[in-house]
PDB file of all heavy atoms in Angstrom:
ATOM      1  N   LEU A  15      60.207 -40.969  13.246  1.00  0.00           N
ATOM      2  CA  LEU A  15      58.978 -40.286  12.902  1.00  0.00           C
ATOM      3  C   LEU A  15      58.202 -40.003  14.176  1.00  0.00           C
ATOM      4  O   LEU A  15      57.867 -40.885  14.955  1.00  0.00           O
ATOM      5  CB  LEU A  15      58.089 -41.192  11.990  1.00  0.00           C
ATOM      6  CG  LEU A  15      56.716 -40.691  11.689  1.00  0.00           C
ATOM      7  CD1 LEU A  15      56.690 -39.341  10.945  1.00  0.00           C
ATOM      8  CD2 LEU A  15      55.918 -41.763  10.901  1.00  0.00           C
ATOM      9  N   TRP A  16      57.884 -38.659  14.365  1.00  0.00           N
ATOM     10  CA  TRP A  16      57.090 -38.243  15.507  1.00  0.00           C
ATOM     11  C   TRP A  16      55.749 -37.923  15.046  1.00  0.00           C
ATOM     12  O   TRP A  16      55.541 -37.080  14.148  1.00  0.00           O
ATOM     13  CB  TRP A  16      57.701 -37.059  16.183  1.00  0.00           C
ATOM     14  CG  TRP A  16      58.987 -37.342  16.962  1.00  0.00           C
ATOM     15  CD1 TRP A  16      60.209 -37.261  16.507  1.00  0.00           C
ATOM     16  CD2 TRP A  16      59.017 -37.843  18.306  1.00  0.00           C
ATOM     17  NE1 TRP A  16      61.086 -37.687  17.512  1.00  0.00           N
ATOM     18  CE2 TRP A  16      60.381 -38.013  18.528  1.00  0.00           C
ATOM     19  CE3 TRP A  16      58.038 -38.096  19.272  1.00  0.00           C
ATOM     20  CZ2 TRP A  16      60.856 -38.455  19.812  1.00  0.00           C
ATOM     21  CZ3 TRP A  16      58.496 -38.524  20.550  1.00  0.00           C
ATOM     22  CH2 TRP A  16      59.899 -38.731  20.761  1.00  0.00           C
ATOM     23  N   VAL A  17      54.694 -38.661  15.626  1.00  0.00           N
ATOM     24  CA  VAL A  17      53.303 -38.315  15.301  1.00  0.00           C
ATOM     25  C   VAL A  17      52.830 -37.480  16.450  1.00  0.00           C
ATOM     26  O   VAL A  17      52.871 -37.839  17.632  1.00  0.00           O
ATOM     27  CB  VAL A  17      52.527 -39.609  15.188  1.00  0.00           C
ATOM     28  CG1 VAL A  17      51.014 -39.320  14.890  1.00  0.00           C
ATOM     29  CG2 VAL A  17      53.054 -40.525  14.099  1.00  0.00           C
ATOM     30  N   VAL A  18      52.342 -36.305  16.146  1.00  0.00           N
ATOM     31  CA  VAL A  18      51.880 -35.282  17.144  1.00  0.00           C
ATOM     32  C   VAL A  18      50.485 -34.958  16.947  1.00  0.00           C
ATOM     33  O   VAL A  18      49.965 -34.826  15.843  1.00  0.00           O
ATOM     34  CB  VAL A  18      52.814 -34.035  16.979  1.00  0.00           C
ATOM     35  CG1 VAL A  18      52.540 -32.986  18.067  1.00  0.00           C
ATOM     36  CG2 VAL A  18      54.294 -34.347  17.044  1.00  0.00           C
ATOM     37  N   LEU A  19      49.770 -34.771  18.119  1.00  0.00           N
ATOM     38  CA  LEU A  19      48.345 -34.699  18.044  1.00  0.00           C
ATOM     39  C   LEU A  19      47.749 -33.258  18.163  1.00  0.00           C
ATOM     40  O   LEU A  19      46.561 -33.069  18.074  1.00  0.00           O
ATOM     41  CB  LEU A  19      47.702 -35.558  19.130  1.00  0.00           C
ATOM     42  CG  LEU A  19      48.128 -37.073  19.035  1.00  0.00           C
ATOM     43  CD1 LEU A  19      47.448 -37.862  20.179  1.00  0.00           C
ATOM     44  CD2 LEU A  19      47.765 -37.670  17.639  1.00  0.00           C
ATOM     45  N   SER A  20      48.579 -32.299  18.492  1.00  0.00           N
ATOM     46  CA  SER A  20      48.110 -30.868  18.589  1.00  0.00           C
ATOM     47  C   SER A  20      48.962 -29.916  17.830  1.00  0.00           C
ATOM     48  O   SER A  20      50.198 -30.195  17.721  1.00  0.00           O
ATOM     49  CB  SER A  20      48.035 -30.420  20.084  1.00  0.00           C
ATOM     50  OG  SER A  20      49.315 -30.164  20.563  1.00  0.00           O
ATOM     51  N   SER A  21      48.458 -28.830  17.385  1.00  0.00           N
ATOM     52  CA  SER A  21      49.228 -27.870  16.586  1.00  0.00           C
ATOM     53  C   SER A  21      50.347 -27.255  17.374  1.00  0.00           C
ATOM     54  O   SER A  21      51.438 -27.073  16.892  1.00  0.00           O
ATOM     55  CB  SER A  21      48.279 -26.818  15.966  1.00  0.00           C
ATOM     56  OG  SER A  21      47.684 -26.049  16.972  1.00  0.00           O
ATOM     57  N   HIS A  22      50.071 -26.857  18.592  1.00  0.00           N
ATOM     58  CA  HIS A  22      51.041 -26.255  19.468  1.00  0.00           C
ATOM     59  C   HIS A  22      52.185 -27.164  19.747  1.00  0.00           C
ATOM     60  O   HIS A  22      53.410 -26.779  19.565  1.00  0.00           O
ATOM     61  CB  HIS A  22      50.483 -25.823  20.831  1.00  0.00           C
ATOM     62  CG  HIS A  22      51.454 -25.184  21.776  1.00  0.00           C
ATOM     63  ND1 HIS A  22      52.032 -23.990  21.567  1.00  0.00           N
ATOM     64  CD2 HIS A  22      52.006 -25.758  22.858  1.00  0.00           C
ATOM     65  CE1 HIS A  22      52.876 -23.774  22.563  1.00  0.00           C
ATOM     66  NE2 HIS A  22      52.908 -24.867  23.357  1.00  0.00           N
ATOM     67  N   ARG A  23      51.970 -28.397  20.052  1.00  0.00           N
ATOM     68  CA  ARG A  23      53.025 -29.407  20.320  1.00  0.00           C
ATOM     69  C   ARG A  23      53.732 -29.684  18.984  1.00  0.00           C
ATOM     70  O   ARG A  23      54.978 -29.918  19.015  1.00  0.00           O
ATOM     71  CB  ARG A  23      52.436 -30.656  20.902  1.00  0.00           C
ATOM     72  CG  ARG A  23      53.387 -31.599  21.370  1.00  0.00           C
ATOM     73  CD  ARG A  23      54.251 -31.077  22.543  1.00  0.00           C
ATOM     74  NE  ARG A  23      54.975 -32.164  23.081  1.00  0.00           N
ATOM     75  CZ  ARG A  23      55.602 -32.150  24.220  1.00  0.00           C
ATOM     76  NH1 ARG A  23      55.540 -31.078  24.964  1.00  0.00           N
ATOM     77  NH2 ARG A  23      56.236 -33.134  24.687  1.00  0.00           N
ATOM     78  N   ALA A  24      53.050 -29.743  17.842  1.00  0.00           N
ATOM     79  CA  ALA A  24      53.638 -29.939  16.633  1.00  0.00           C
ATOM     80  C   ALA A  24      54.789 -28.855  16.332  1.00  0.00           C
ATOM     81  O   ALA A  24      55.829 -29.184  15.783  1.00  0.00           O
ATOM     82  CB  ALA A  24      52.624 -30.008  15.455  1.00  0.00           C
ATOM     83  N   GLN A  25      54.448 -27.613  16.655  1.00  0.00           N
ATOM     84  CA  GLN A  25      55.390 -26.529  16.415  1.00  0.00           C
ATOM     85  C   GLN A  25      56.632 -26.757  17.405  1.00  0.00           C
ATOM     86  O   GLN A  25      57.744 -26.599  16.883  1.00  0.00           O
ATOM     87  CB  GLN A  25      54.776 -25.143  16.804  1.00  0.00           C
ATOM     88  CG  GLN A  25      53.801 -24.721  15.727  1.00  0.00           C
ATOM     89  CD  GLN A  25      53.178 -23.382  16.121  1.00  0.00           C
ATOM     90  OE1 GLN A  25      52.887 -23.182  17.306  1.00  0.00           O
ATOM     91  NE2 GLN A  25      53.030 -22.537  15.098  1.00  0.00           N
ATOM     92  N   GLU A  26      56.366 -27.107  18.620  1.00  0.00           N
ATOM     93  CA  GLU A  26      57.510 -27.376  19.534  1.00  0.00           C
ATOM     94  C   GLU A  26      58.421 -28.492  19.113  1.00  0.00           C
ATOM     95  O   GLU A  26      59.639 -28.333  19.108  1.00  0.00           O
ATOM     96  CB  GLU A  26      56.951 -27.585  20.917  1.00  0.00           C
ATOM     97  CG  GLU A  26      56.332 -26.449  21.664  1.00  0.00           C
ATOM     98  CD  GLU A  26      55.797 -26.784  23.033  1.00  0.00           C
ATOM     99  OE1 GLU A  26      55.532 -27.910  23.301  1.00  0.00           O
ATOM    100  OE2 GLU A  26      55.657 -25.857  23.862  1.00  0.00           O
ATOM    101  N   VAL A  27      57.799 -29.620  18.756  1.00  0.00           N
ATOM    102  CA  VAL A  27      58.588 -30.754  18.372  1.00  0.00           C
ATOM    103  C   VAL A  27      59.254 -30.514  17.054  1.00  0.00           C
ATOM    104  O   VAL A  27      60.416 -30.872  16.764  1.00  0.00           O
ATOM    105  CB  VAL A  27      57.718 -32.068  18.370  1.00  0.00           C
ATOM    106  CG1 VAL A  27      58.459 -33.216  17.775  1.00  0.00           C
ATOM    107  CG2 VAL A  27      57.169 -32.333  19.771  1.00  0.00           C
ATOM    108  N   GLY A  28      58.551 -29.782  16.174  1.00  0.00           N
ATOM    109  CA  GLY A  28      59.129 -29.396  14.897  1.00  0.00           C
ATOM    110  C   GLY A  28      60.382 -28.515  15.060  1.00  0.00           C
ATOM    111  O   GLY A  28      61.337 -28.663  14.348  1.00  0.00           O
ATOM    112  N   GLU A  29      60.274 -27.575  15.969  1.00  0.00           N
ATOM    113  CA  GLU A  29      61.481 -26.698  16.221  1.00  0.00           C
ATOM    114  C   GLU A  29      62.596 -27.496  16.775  1.00  0.00           C
ATOM    115  O   GLU A  29      63.795 -27.285  16.426  1.00  0.00           O
ATOM    116  CB  GLU A  29      61.084 -25.533  17.178  1.00  0.00           C
ATOM    117  CG  GLU A  29      60.230 -24.486  16.561  1.00  0.00           C
ATOM    118  CD  GLU A  29      59.713 -23.444  17.567  1.00  0.00           C
ATOM    119  OE1 GLU A  29      60.378 -23.349  18.662  1.00  0.00           O
ATOM    120  OE2 GLU A  29      58.724 -22.752  17.257  1.00  0.00           O
ATOM    121  N   LEU A  30      62.298 -28.401  17.639  1.00  0.00           N
ATOM    122  CA  LEU A  30      63.401 -29.309  18.168  1.00  0.00           C
ATOM    123  C   LEU A  30      64.010 -30.142  17.088  1.00  0.00           C
ATOM    124  O   LEU A  30      65.209 -30.195  16.995  1.00  0.00           O
ATOM    125  CB  LEU A  30      62.726 -30.256  19.262  1.00  0.00           C
ATOM    126  CG  LEU A  30      63.754 -31.209  19.878  1.00  0.00           C
ATOM    127  CD1 LEU A  30      64.826 -30.495  20.669  1.00  0.00           C
ATOM    128  CD2 LEU A  30      62.952 -32.136  20.788  1.00  0.00           C
ATOM    129  N   ALA A  31      63.181 -30.672  16.230  1.00  0.00           N
ATOM    130  CA  ALA A  31      63.737 -31.491  15.102  1.00  0.00           C
ATOM    131  C   ALA A  31      64.577 -30.622  14.144  1.00  0.00           C
ATOM    132  O   ALA A  31      65.614 -31.095  13.777  1.00  0.00           O
ATOM    133  CB  ALA A  31      62.571 -32.165  14.315  1.00  0.00           C
ATOM    134  N   ARG A  32      64.140 -29.386  13.886  1.00  0.00           N
ATOM    135  CA  ARG A  32      64.879 -28.521  12.996  1.00  0.00           C
ATOM    136  C   ARG A  32      66.232 -28.154  13.604  1.00  0.00           C
ATOM    137  O   ARG A  32      67.240 -28.126  12.905  1.00  0.00           O
ATOM    138  CB  ARG A  32      64.081 -27.221  12.625  1.00  0.00           C
ATOM    139  CG  ARG A  32      63.003 -27.478  11.644  1.00  0.00           C
ATOM    140  CD  ARG A  32      62.337 -26.145  11.259  1.00  0.00           C
ATOM    141  NE  ARG A  32      61.005 -26.373  10.819  1.00  0.00           N
ATOM    142  CZ  ARG A  32      59.945 -26.397  11.610  1.00  0.00           C
ATOM    143  NH1 ARG A  32      60.041 -26.171  12.817  1.00  0.00           N
ATOM    144  NH2 ARG A  32      58.776 -26.625  11.079  1.00  0.00           N
ATOM    145  N   SER A  33      66.258 -27.942  14.909  1.00  0.00           N
ATOM    146  CA  SER A  33      67.518 -27.642  15.541  1.00  0.00           C
ATOM    147  C   SER A  33      68.526 -28.814  15.475  1.00  0.00           C
ATOM    148  O   SER A  33      69.684 -28.736  15.235  1.00  0.00           O
ATOM    149  CB  SER A  33      67.290 -27.222  17.000  1.00  0.00           C
ATOM    150  OG  SER A  33      66.926 -28.375  17.800  1.00  0.00           O
ATOM    151  N   TRP A  34      67.990 -30.046  15.591  1.00  0.00           N
ATOM    152  CA  TRP A  34      68.769 -31.284  15.436  1.00  0.00           C
ATOM    153  C   TRP A  34      69.310 -31.394  13.988  1.00  0.00           C
ATOM    154  O   TRP A  34      70.463 -31.712  13.774  1.00  0.00           O
ATOM    155  CB  TRP A  34      67.986 -32.526  15.724  1.00  0.00           C
ATOM    156  CG  TRP A  34      68.081 -32.892  17.166  1.00  0.00           C
ATOM    157  CD1 TRP A  34      67.457 -32.358  18.232  1.00  0.00           C
ATOM    158  CD2 TRP A  34      68.994 -33.954  17.649  1.00  0.00           C
ATOM    159  NE1 TRP A  34      67.759 -32.913  19.358  1.00  0.00           N
ATOM    160  CE2 TRP A  34      68.705 -33.899  19.116  1.00  0.00           C
ATOM    161  CE3 TRP A  34      69.821 -34.769  17.194  1.00  0.00           C
ATOM    162  CZ2 TRP A  34      69.403 -34.802  19.916  1.00  0.00           C
ATOM    163  CZ3 TRP A  34      70.429 -35.725  17.967  1.00  0.00           C
ATOM    164  CH2 TRP A  34      70.269 -35.647  19.363  1.00  0.00           C
ATOM    165  N   LEU A  35      68.511 -31.016  13.011  1.00  0.00           N
ATOM    166  CA  LEU A  35      68.897 -31.121  11.643  1.00  0.00           C
ATOM    167  C   LEU A  35      69.900 -30.129  11.328  1.00  0.00           C
ATOM    168  O   LEU A  35      70.720 -30.332  10.425  1.00  0.00           O
ATOM    169  CB  LEU A  35      67.666 -30.997  10.704  1.00  0.00           C
ATOM    170  CG  LEU A  35      66.722 -32.132  10.759  1.00  0.00           C
ATOM    171  CD1 LEU A  35      65.464 -31.929   9.976  1.00  0.00           C
ATOM    172  CD2 LEU A  35      67.373 -33.439  10.222  1.00  0.00           C
ATOM    173  N   GLU A  36      69.893 -28.921  11.937  1.00  0.00           N
ATOM    174  CA  GLU A  36      70.929 -27.904  11.744  1.00  0.00           C
ATOM    175  C   GLU A  36      72.319 -28.477  12.264  1.00  0.00           C
ATOM    176  O   GLU A  36      73.344 -28.207  11.584  1.00  0.00           O
ATOM    177  CB  GLU A  36      70.608 -26.579  12.426  1.00  0.00           C
ATOM    178  CG  GLU A  36      69.564 -25.833  11.758  1.00  0.00           C
ATOM    179  CD  GLU A  36      69.163 -24.582  12.504  1.00  0.00           C
ATOM    180  OE1 GLU A  36      69.923 -24.112  13.324  1.00  0.00           O
ATOM    181  OE2 GLU A  36      68.107 -23.985  12.197  1.00  0.00           O
ATOM    182  N   GLU A  37      72.237 -29.174  13.344  1.00  0.00           N
ATOM    183  CA  GLU A  37      73.498 -29.683  13.970  1.00  0.00           C
ATOM    184  C   GLU A  37      73.922 -30.961  13.271  1.00  0.00           C
ATOM    185  O   GLU A  37      75.097 -31.248  13.104  1.00  0.00           O
ATOM    186  CB  GLU A  37      73.265 -29.940  15.458  1.00  0.00           C
ATOM    187  CG  GLU A  37      74.438 -30.439  16.160  1.00  0.00           C
ATOM    188  CD  GLU A  37      74.216 -30.609  17.671  1.00  0.00           C
ATOM    189  OE1 GLU A  37      73.207 -30.132  18.183  1.00  0.00           O
ATOM    190  OE2 GLU A  37      75.017 -31.313  18.293  1.00  0.00           O
ATOM    191  N   TRP A  38      73.009 -31.789  12.886  1.00  0.00           N
ATOM    192  CA  TRP A  38      73.322 -33.131  12.258  1.00  0.00           C
ATOM    193  C   TRP A  38      72.745 -33.148  10.809  1.00  0.00           C
ATOM    194  O   TRP A  38      71.772 -33.792  10.537  1.00  0.00           O
ATOM    195  CB  TRP A  38      72.685 -34.195  13.103  1.00  0.00           C
ATOM    196  CG  TRP A  38      73.154 -34.294  14.515  1.00  0.00           C
ATOM    197  CD1 TRP A  38      72.621 -33.689  15.590  1.00  0.00           C
ATOM    198  CD2 TRP A  38      74.315 -34.987  14.958  1.00  0.00           C
ATOM    199  NE1 TRP A  38      73.295 -33.930  16.733  1.00  0.00           N
ATOM    200  CE2 TRP A  38      74.408 -34.762  16.385  1.00  0.00           C
ATOM    201  CE3 TRP A  38      75.297 -35.742  14.360  1.00  0.00           C
ATOM    202  CZ2 TRP A  38      75.431 -35.247  17.148  1.00  0.00           C
ATOM    203  CZ3 TRP A  38      76.333 -36.323  15.152  1.00  0.00           C
ATOM    204  CH2 TRP A  38      76.378 -36.020  16.513  1.00  0.00           C
ATOM    205  N   ARG A  39      73.490 -32.530   9.899  1.00  0.00           N
ATOM    206  CA  ARG A  39      73.028 -32.537   8.540  1.00  0.00           C
ATOM    207  C   ARG A  39      72.868 -33.914   7.900  1.00  0.00           C
ATOM    208  O   ARG A  39      72.029 -34.051   6.989  1.00  0.00           O
ATOM    209  CB  ARG A  39      74.016 -31.712   7.710  1.00  0.00           C
ATOM    210  CG  ARG A  39      74.164 -30.238   8.112  1.00  0.00           C
ATOM    211  CD  ARG A  39      73.208 -29.351   7.318  1.00  0.00           C
ATOM    212  NE  ARG A  39      73.455 -27.960   7.687  1.00  0.00           N
ATOM    213  CZ  ARG A  39      72.461 -27.180   7.765  1.00  0.00           C
ATOM    214  NH1 ARG A  39      71.257 -27.534   7.490  1.00  0.00           N
ATOM    215  NH2 ARG A  39      72.678 -25.897   8.097  1.00  0.00           N
ATOM    216  N   SER A  40      73.602 -34.889   8.426  1.00  0.00           N
ATOM    217  CA  SER A  40      73.473 -36.171   7.849  1.00  0.00           C
ATOM    218  C   SER A  40      72.114 -36.861   8.121  1.00  0.00           C
ATOM    219  O   SER A  40      71.756 -37.849   7.452  1.00  0.00           O
ATOM    220  CB  SER A  40      74.652 -37.064   8.400  1.00  0.00           C
ATOM    221  OG  SER A  40      74.449 -37.196   9.774  1.00  0.00           O
ATOM    222  N   LEU A  41      71.360 -36.264   9.128  1.00  0.00           N
ATOM    223  CA  LEU A  41      70.067 -36.820   9.371  1.00  0.00           C
ATOM    224  C   LEU A  41      68.890 -36.232   8.518  1.00  0.00           C
ATOM    225  O   LEU A  41      67.770 -36.478   8.704  1.00  0.00           O
ATOM    226  CB  LEU A  41      69.752 -36.524  10.906  1.00  0.00           C
ATOM    227  CG  LEU A  41      70.639 -37.225  11.887  1.00  0.00           C
ATOM    228  CD1 LEU A  41      70.246 -36.824  13.271  1.00  0.00           C
ATOM    229  CD2 LEU A  41      70.632 -38.720  11.685  1.00  0.00           C
ATOM    230  N   GLU A  42      69.317 -35.358   7.584  1.00  0.00           N
ATOM    231  CA  GLU A  42      68.283 -34.729   6.704  1.00  0.00           C
ATOM    232  C   GLU A  42      67.420 -35.736   6.025  1.00  0.00           C
ATOM    233  O   GLU A  42      67.895 -36.728   5.518  1.00  0.00           O
ATOM    234  CB  GLU A  42      68.984 -33.906   5.611  1.00  0.00           C
ATOM    235  CG  GLU A  42      68.084 -33.056   4.782  1.00  0.00           C
ATOM    236  CD  GLU A  42      67.531 -31.838   5.510  1.00  0.00           C
ATOM    237  OE1 GLU A  42      68.275 -31.251   6.286  1.00  0.00           O
ATOM    238  OE2 GLU A  42      66.370 -31.550   5.369  1.00  0.00           O
TER     239      GLU A  42
END
C-alpha cells in the first residue's frame, strides 16, 4: 500500500503500479 500526499505524485505512482499489474496479473 502506497500512501501518496500529492495529486501529481499519485498519478505517477499509480501509473507505475498499473504497469506492474499488467506484467504481474497475480498481484491484482
Side-chain angles (χ1 to χ4, degrees):
L15 171 63
W16 287 93
V17 179
V18 184
L19 306 178
S20 75
S21 62
H22 176 73
R23 189 63 169 197
Q25 287 179 321
E26 290 180 337
V27 176
E29 288 175 18
L30 178 64
R32 283 187 208 87
S33 72
W34 268 79
L35 290 171
E36 286 178 17
E37 184 178 341
W38 299 92
R39 297 266 183 218
S40 63
L41 297 177
E42 188 73 39

